[in-house]
């Protein structure tokens, strides 16, 4: 596993093929970083499906309202929900959407990000300064690459657990 420099700002997502370690970027997107840690610590991301996975683009997850595969899973609504917390304001920056970066999913409204996020499979610079980047995979990208594809996938993969490294 990766050398974790700041355990309080690192999350570990357990996937079926192994752990994915993500270094959060509190200096770039403090509100998004705090939200991810808050939801991880509440267990809200555990068992949440990857509901939109586009080959050569990204894997999206984080719909804690409709995509928890252990309770109230609704594949037809997956990707339409968020948490019971308020939406976040955009925290756009110059950090590019490179392979392995974590981006905040949102609606057309730039200030509508809540709990959903995506991991870029490749450099997606057309998203730069339009979606908040708030983390980057520092190990386990090979596990992200194995997530089942589809919109939604016929048999979706899930985040088995999401923990803040300081708590793990």
């Amino acid at each position: 596993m990766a050398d974790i420099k700041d355990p309080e700002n690192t999350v570990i997502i357990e996937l079926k093929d192994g752990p994915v370690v993500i270094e959060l970027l509190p200096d770039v997107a403090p509100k998004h970083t705090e939200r991810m840690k808050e939801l991880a610590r509440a267990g809200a991301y555990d068992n949440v499906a990857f509901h939109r996975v586009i080959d050569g683009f990204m894997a999206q997850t984080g719909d804690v309202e409709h995509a928890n595969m252990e309770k109230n899973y609704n594949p037809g609504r997956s990707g339409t929900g968020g948490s019971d917390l308020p939406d976040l304001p955009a925290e756009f920056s110059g950090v590019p959407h490179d392979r392995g970066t974590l981006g905040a999913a949102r609606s057309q409204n730039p200030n509508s990000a809540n709990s959903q996020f995506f991991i870029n499979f490749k450099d997606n610079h057309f998203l730069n300064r339009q979606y908040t980047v708030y983390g980057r995979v520092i190990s386990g990208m090979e596990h992200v690459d194995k997530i089942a594809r589809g919109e939604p996938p016929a048999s979706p993969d899930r985040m088995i657990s999401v923990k803040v490294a300081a708590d793990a």
Side-chain angles (χ1 to χ4, degrees):
M1 207 151 50
D3 178 28
I4 296 173
K5 296 175 183 64
D6 181 1
E8 180 56 31
N9 289 301
T10 304
V11 293
I12 302 168
I13 301 175
E14 194 64 43
L15 300 181
K16 71 180 185 327
D17 293 304
V20 178
V21 181
I22 297 173
E23 174 184 75
L24 298 174
L25 305 173
D27 295 343
V28 174
K31 290 177 174 60
H32 287 76
T33 295
E34 281 306 310
R35 174 66 52 86
M36 178 159 228
K37 293 189 304 185
E38 182 177 359
L39 292 172
R41 286 188 161 125
Y45 284 132
D46 296 353
N47 294 304
V48 172
F50 283 89
H51 65 271
R52 182 171 177 243
V53 185
I54 303 171
D55 200 34
F57 181 30
M58 57 88 220
Q60 186 171 333
T61 185
D63 181 347
V64 301
E65 185 177 2
H66 301 299
N68 183 318
M69 296 178 75
E70 297 296 315
K71 63 176 189 217
N72 303 323
Y73 179 53
N74 186 338
R77 303 248 359 243
S78 291
T80 64
S83 72
D84 56 3
L85 300 168
D87 288 348
L88 295 167
E91 294 179 297
F92 301 158
S93 71
V95 176
H97 282 266
D98 289 340
R99 172 174 163 78
T101 53
L102 190 76
R106 60 171 177 80
S107 70
Q108 293 293 332
N109 177 348
N111 301 312
S112 63
N114 187 293
S115 63
Q116 292 188 47
F117 63 91
F118 57 90
I119 302 171
N120 288 295
F121 286 130
K122 69 176 193 73
D123 293 355
N124 290 312
H125 293 172
F126 66 95
L127 300 173
N128 291 356
R129 296 187 186 276
Q130 296 180 63
Y131 290 81
T132 300
V133 175
Y134 64 103
R136 64 174 57 95
V137 174
I138 58 173
S139 80
M141 194 62 196
E142 68 275 15
H143 307 313
V144 175
D145 288 335
K146 294 178 184 172
I147 295 170
R149 302 322 199 241
E151 296 183 72
S155 181
D157 285 322
R158 69 179 80 186
M159 295 184 289
I160 296 165
S161 71
V162 180
K163 305 268 186 269
V164 176
D167 305 337

